[in-house]
Amino acid sequence: MLGGHGGFSPVAAVAQRDRIFLAQRNDAGTVSLAWANVDPDAVPEVPKWVASGPLAMHMPATAIDAEGRVVVACLAATGRLYVARQKSGADSLGEWTAVG
């Protein structure tokens, strides 16, 4: 079970070492984010979800940058593209910034 804040879009996911990063447009219209452990030897746990980001028009996209950090992007209700990048060594993202 993934738990979460509810949502109305597919879940975007990207693998990062022994974890998967998840992102979904939630019931409030912003983005919910979580890291899920995928180690087959670990005890399964429900991911802890955090709501973040601008009011999103579509589902978020996820990727891994050249430094191995998670990157999340979404198109905001304003029509601008926003991006947030994983803080170094943390299971959290930095500030969302508008592109361009």
Side-chain angles (χ1 to χ4, degrees), residues 2-12 23-33 49 51 56 58-60:
L2 291 178
H5 301 134
F8 44 92
S9 77
V11 175
Q24 181 183 34
R25 186 173 174 215
N26 61 38
D27 285 343
T30 61
V31 179
S32 287
L33 313 164
W49 290 84
H58 298 283
M59 70 176 278

mmCIF file of all heavy atoms in Angstrom, residues 2-12 23-33 49 51 56 58-60:
data_model
loop_
_atom_site.group_PDB
_atom_site.id
_atom_site.type_symbol
_atom_site.label_atom_id
_atom_site.label_comp_id
_atom_site.label_asym_id
_atom_site.label_seq_id
_atom_site.Cartn_x
_atom_site.Cartn_y
_atom_site.Cartn_z
ATOM 1 N N LEU A 2 0.554 2.205 -0.835
ATOM 2 C CA LEU A 2 1.367 3.407 -0.948
ATOM 3 C C LEU A 2 0.946 4.521 -0.006
ATOM 4 O O LEU A 2 1.709 5.433 0.252
ATOM 5 C CB LEU A 2 1.334 3.931 -2.392
ATOM 6 C CG LEU A 2 2.039 3.065 -3.416
ATOM 7 C CD1 LEU A 2 1.883 3.667 -4.800
ATOM 8 C CD2 LEU A 2 3.498 2.898 -3.064
ATOM 9 N N GLY A 3 -0.290 4.492 0.507
ATOM 10 C CA GLY A 3 -0.739 5.584 1.364
ATOM 11 C C GLY A 3 -0.794 6.875 0.568
ATOM 12 O O GLY A 3 -0.969 6.854 -0.643
ATOM 13 N N GLY A 4 -0.652 8.001 1.237
ATOM 14 C CA GLY A 4 -0.593 9.272 0.523
ATOM 15 C C GLY A 4 -1.744 10.203 0.817
ATOM 16 O O GLY A 4 -2.550 9.968 1.709
ATOM 17 N N HIS A 5 -1.829 11.256 0.012
ATOM 18 C CA HIS A 5 -2.819 12.319 0.191
ATOM 19 C C HIS A 5 -3.955 12.200 -0.802
ATOM 20 O O HIS A 5 -4.657 13.158 -1.064
ATOM 21 C CB HIS A 5 -2.145 13.687 0.009
ATOM 22 C CG HIS A 5 -1.030 13.924 0.963
ATOM 23 N ND1 HIS A 5 0.179 14.435 0.554
ATOM 24 C CD2 HIS A 5 -0.915 13.708 2.294
ATOM 25 C CE1 HIS A 5 0.989 14.532 1.603
ATOM 26 N NE2 HIS A 5 0.355 14.084 2.656
ATOM 27 N N GLY A 6 -4.147 11.049 -1.379
ATOM 28 C CA GLY A 6 -5.124 10.925 -2.449
ATOM 29 C C GLY A 6 -4.563 11.597 -3.689
ATOM 30 O O GLY A 6 -3.505 12.205 -3.649
ATOM 31 N N GLY A 7 -5.261 11.505 -4.768
ATOM 32 C CA GLY A 7 -4.757 12.153 -5.963
ATOM 33 C C GLY A 7 -5.581 11.819 -7.175
ATOM 34 O O GLY A 7 -6.445 10.957 -7.141
ATOM 35 N N PHE A 8 -5.296 12.529 -8.245
ATOM 36 C CA PHE A 8 -6.071 12.314 -9.460
ATOM 37 C C PHE A 8 -5.173 12.317 -10.692
ATOM 38 O O PHE A 8 -5.524 12.811 -11.746
ATOM 39 C CB PHE A 8 -7.189 13.350 -9.605
ATOM 40 C CG PHE A 8 -6.780 14.767 -9.305
ATOM 41 C CD1 PHE A 8 -6.335 15.605 -10.312
ATOM 42 C CD2 PHE A 8 -6.843 15.260 -8.008
ATOM 43 C CE1 PHE A 8 -5.965 16.907 -10.039
ATOM 44 C CE2 PHE A 8 -6.487 16.567 -7.737
ATOM 45 C CZ PHE A 8 -6.044 17.389 -8.754
ATOM 46 N N SER A 9 -3.998 11.750 -10.521
ATOM 47 C CA SER A 9 -3.111 11.547 -11.665
ATOM 48 C C SER A 9 -2.296 10.290 -11.409
ATOM 49 O O SER A 9 -2.214 9.816 -10.282
ATOM 50 C CB SER A 9 -2.178 12.751 -11.843
ATOM 51 O OG SER A 9 -1.130 12.741 -10.910
ATOM 52 N N PRO A 10 -1.675 9.764 -12.468
ATOM 53 C CA PRO A 10 -0.775 8.622 -12.264
ATOM 54 C C PRO A 10 0.385 9.019 -11.341
ATOM 55 O O PRO A 10 0.706 10.199 -11.213
ATOM 56 C CB PRO A 10 -0.260 8.320 -13.672
ATOM 57 C CG PRO A 10 -1.258 8.934 -14.593
ATOM 58 C CD PRO A 10 -1.797 10.132 -13.869
ATOM 59 N N VAL A 11 1.008 8.031 -10.743
ATOM 60 C CA VAL A 11 2.174 8.268 -9.892
ATOM 61 C C VAL A 11 3.421 8.236 -10.769
ATOM 62 O O VAL A 11 3.633 7.284 -11.520
ATOM 63 C CB VAL A 11 2.274 7.195 -8.786
ATOM 64 C CG1 VAL A 11 3.541 7.379 -7.977
ATOM 65 C CG2 VAL A 11 1.044 7.241 -7.887
ATOM 66 N N ALA A 12 4.233 9.300 -10.696
ATOM 67 C CA ALA A 12 5.529 9.323 -11.375
ATOM 68 C C ALA A 12 6.538 8.708 -10.421
ATOM 69 O O ALA A 12 6.487 8.947 -9.216
ATOM 70 C CB ALA A 12 5.922 10.754 -11.729
ATOM 71 N N ALA A 23 6.032 10.638 -6.945
ATOM 72 C CA ALA A 23 5.421 11.965 -6.989
ATOM 73 C C ALA A 23 4.051 11.841 -7.643
ATOM 74 O O ALA A 23 3.887 11.118 -8.628
ATOM 75 C CB ALA A 23 6.298 12.936 -7.776
ATOM 76 N N GLN A 24 3.065 12.545 -7.077
ATOM 77 C CA GLN A 24 1.711 12.508 -7.627
ATOM 78 C C GLN A 24 1.004 13.830 -7.371
ATOM 79 O O GLN A 24 1.216 14.459 -6.327
ATOM 80 C CB GLN A 24 0.893 11.384 -7.002
ATOM 81 C CG GLN A 24 -0.513 11.308 -7.582
ATOM 82 C CD GLN A 24 -1.365 10.255 -6.922
ATOM 83 O OE1 GLN A 24 -1.239 10.006 -5.733
ATOM 84 N NE2 GLN A 24 -2.243 9.649 -7.683
ATOM 85 N N ARG A 25 0.194 14.250 -8.304
ATOM 86 C CA ARG A 25 -0.685 15.398 -8.084
ATOM 87 C C ARG A 25 -1.745 14.941 -7.086
ATOM 88 O O ARG A 25 -2.448 13.957 -7.301
ATOM 89 C CB ARG A 25 -1.319 15.798 -9.422
ATOM 90 C CG ARG A 25 -2.125 17.052 -9.355
ATOM 91 C CD ARG A 25 -2.561 17.443 -10.761
ATOM 92 N NE ARG A 25 -3.459 18.567 -10.711
ATOM 93 C CZ ARG A 25 -4.469 18.743 -11.527
ATOM 94 N NH1 ARG A 25 -4.717 17.861 -12.473
ATOM 95 N NH2 ARG A 25 -5.236 19.803 -11.420
ATOM 96 N N ASN A 26 -1.848 15.658 -5.959
ATOM 97 C CA ASN A 26 -2.719 15.210 -4.872
ATOM 98 C C ASN A 26 -4.108 15.842 -4.945
ATOM 99 O O ASN A 26 -4.405 16.636 -5.842
ATOM 100 C CB ASN A 26 -2.047 15.460 -3.518
ATOM 101 C CG ASN A 26 -1.756 16.927 -3.286
ATOM 102 O OD1 ASN A 26 -2.529 17.813 -3.639
ATOM 103 N ND2 ASN A 26 -0.611 17.202 -2.681
ATOM 104 N N ASP A 27 -4.979 15.507 -3.980
ATOM 105 C CA ASP A 27 -6.346 16.017 -3.953
ATOM 106 C C ASP A 27 -6.421 17.535 -3.839
ATOM 107 O O ASP A 27 -7.409 18.140 -4.248
ATOM 108 C CB ASP A 27 -7.136 15.397 -2.793
ATOM 109 C CG ASP A 27 -7.546 13.959 -3.073
ATOM 110 O OD1 ASP A 27 -7.515 13.544 -4.256
ATOM 111 O OD2 ASP A 27 -7.892 13.250 -2.117
ATOM 112 N N ALA A 28 -5.389 18.176 -3.291
ATOM 113 C CA ALA A 28 -5.363 19.639 -3.167
ATOM 114 C C ALA A 28 -4.861 20.303 -4.450
ATOM 115 O O ALA A 28 -4.895 21.521 -4.569
ATOM 116 C CB ALA A 28 -4.484 20.047 -1.989
ATOM 117 N N GLY A 29 -4.361 19.496 -5.397
ATOM 118 C CA GLY A 29 -3.867 20.036 -6.656
ATOM 119 C C GLY A 29 -2.383 20.362 -6.645
ATOM 120 O O GLY A 29 -1.838 20.782 -7.654
ATOM 121 N N THR A 30 -1.710 20.172 -5.505
ATOM 122 C CA THR A 30 -0.258 20.357 -5.453
ATOM 123 C C THR A 30 0.392 18.986 -5.667
ATOM 124 O O THR A 30 -0.266 18.048 -6.094
ATOM 125 C CB THR A 30 0.191 20.997 -4.123
ATOM 126 O OG1 THR A 30 -0.174 20.133 -3.045
ATOM 127 C CG2 THR A 30 -0.443 22.369 -3.926
ATOM 128 N N VAL A 31 1.670 18.859 -5.354
ATOM 129 C CA VAL A 31 2.387 17.606 -5.598
ATOM 130 C C VAL A 31 2.704 16.931 -4.269
ATOM 131 O O VAL A 31 3.192 17.572 -3.340
ATOM 132 C CB VAL A 31 3.698 17.884 -6.378
ATOM 133 C CG1 VAL A 31 4.466 16.590 -6.614
ATOM 134 C CG2 VAL A 31 3.392 18.572 -7.704
ATOM 135 N N SER A 32 2.401 15.641 -4.167
ATOM 136 C CA SER A 32 2.797 14.841 -3.003
ATOM 137 C C SER A 32 4.014 14.013 -3.378
ATOM 138 O O SER A 32 4.079 13.455 -4.482
ATOM 139 C CB SER A 32 1.665 13.929 -2.554
ATOM 140 O OG SER A 32 0.655 14.671 -1.923
ATOM 141 N N LEU A 33 4.987 13.946 -2.455
ATOM 142 C CA LEU A 33 6.277 13.313 -2.702
ATOM 143 C C LEU A 33 6.598 12.303 -1.612
ATOM 144 O O LEU A 33 6.280 12.531 -0.446
ATOM 145 C CB LEU A 33 7.372 14.381 -2.698
ATOM 146 C CG LEU A 33 7.094 15.652 -3.506
ATOM 147 C CD1 LEU A 33 8.054 16.756 -3.093
ATOM 148 C CD2 LEU A 33 7.213 15.342 -4.973
ATOM 149 N N TRP A 49 4.446 10.592 2.976
ATOM 150 C CA TRP A 49 4.200 11.542 1.903
ATOM 151 C C TRP A 49 4.257 12.970 2.431
ATOM 152 O O TRP A 49 3.825 13.243 3.536
ATOM 153 C CB TRP A 49 2.833 11.295 1.281
ATOM 154 C CG TRP A 49 2.761 10.029 0.489
ATOM 155 C CD1 TRP A 49 2.526 8.771 0.990
ATOM 156 C CD2 TRP A 49 2.945 9.879 -0.908
ATOM 157 N NE1 TRP A 49 2.547 7.849 -0.032
ATOM 158 C CE2 TRP A 49 2.798 8.505 -1.214
ATOM 159 C CE3 TRP A 49 3.218 10.769 -1.947
ATOM 160 C CZ2 TRP A 49 2.911 8.010 -2.500
ATOM 161 C CZ3 TRP A 49 3.318 10.273 -3.239
ATOM 162 C CH2 TRP A 49 3.171 8.905 -3.506
ATOM 163 N N ALA A 51 3.341 16.986 1.070
ATOM 164 C CA ALA A 51 2.770 17.845 0.034
ATOM 165 C C ALA A 51 3.715 19.011 -0.210
ATOM 166 O O ALA A 51 4.291 19.563 0.727
ATOM 167 C CB ALA A 51 1.395 18.353 0.450
ATOM 168 N N ALA A 56 -0.604 22.421 -9.435
ATOM 169 C CA ALA A 56 -0.141 21.769 -10.663
ATOM 170 C C ALA A 56 -1.290 21.523 -11.628
ATOM 171 O O ALA A 56 -2.395 21.157 -11.223
ATOM 172 C CB ALA A 56 0.537 20.443 -10.311
ATOM 173 N N HIS A 58 -0.901 19.353 -14.352
ATOM 174 C CA HIS A 58 -0.760 17.985 -14.830
ATOM 175 C C HIS A 58 0.077 17.194 -13.831
ATOM 176 O O HIS A 58 0.634 17.760 -12.891
ATOM 177 C CB HIS A 58 -0.083 17.949 -16.205
ATOM 178 C CG HIS A 58 -0.867 18.663 -17.254
ATOM 179 N ND1 HIS A 58 -1.984 18.125 -17.837
ATOM 180 C CD2 HIS A 58 -0.709 19.890 -17.808
ATOM 181 C CE1 HIS A 58 -2.480 18.983 -18.706
ATOM 182 N NE2 HIS A 58 -1.719 20.060 -18.707
ATOM 183 N N MET A 59 0.199 15.906 -14.077
ATOM 184 C CA MET A 59 1.024 15.083 -13.199
ATOM 185 C C MET A 59 2.473 15.549 -13.266
ATOM 186 O O MET A 59 2.922 16.048 -14.285
ATOM 187 C CB MET A 59 0.929 13.601 -13.573
ATOM 188 C CG MET A 59 1.585 13.230 -14.887
ATOM 189 S SD MET A 59 1.552 11.472 -15.218
ATOM 190 C CE MET A 59 2.955 10.920 -14.264
ATOM 191 N N PRO A 60 3.210 15.396 -12.165
ATOM 192 C CA PRO A 60 4.627 15.764 -12.174
ATOM 193 C C PRO A 60 5.458 14.740 -12.940
ATOM 194 O O PRO A 60 5.023 13.614 -13.171
ATOM 195 C CB PRO A 60 5.001 15.775 -10.689
ATOM 196 C CG PRO A 60 4.033 14.823 -10.063
ATOM 197 C CD PRO A 60 2.768 14.933 -10.852
#
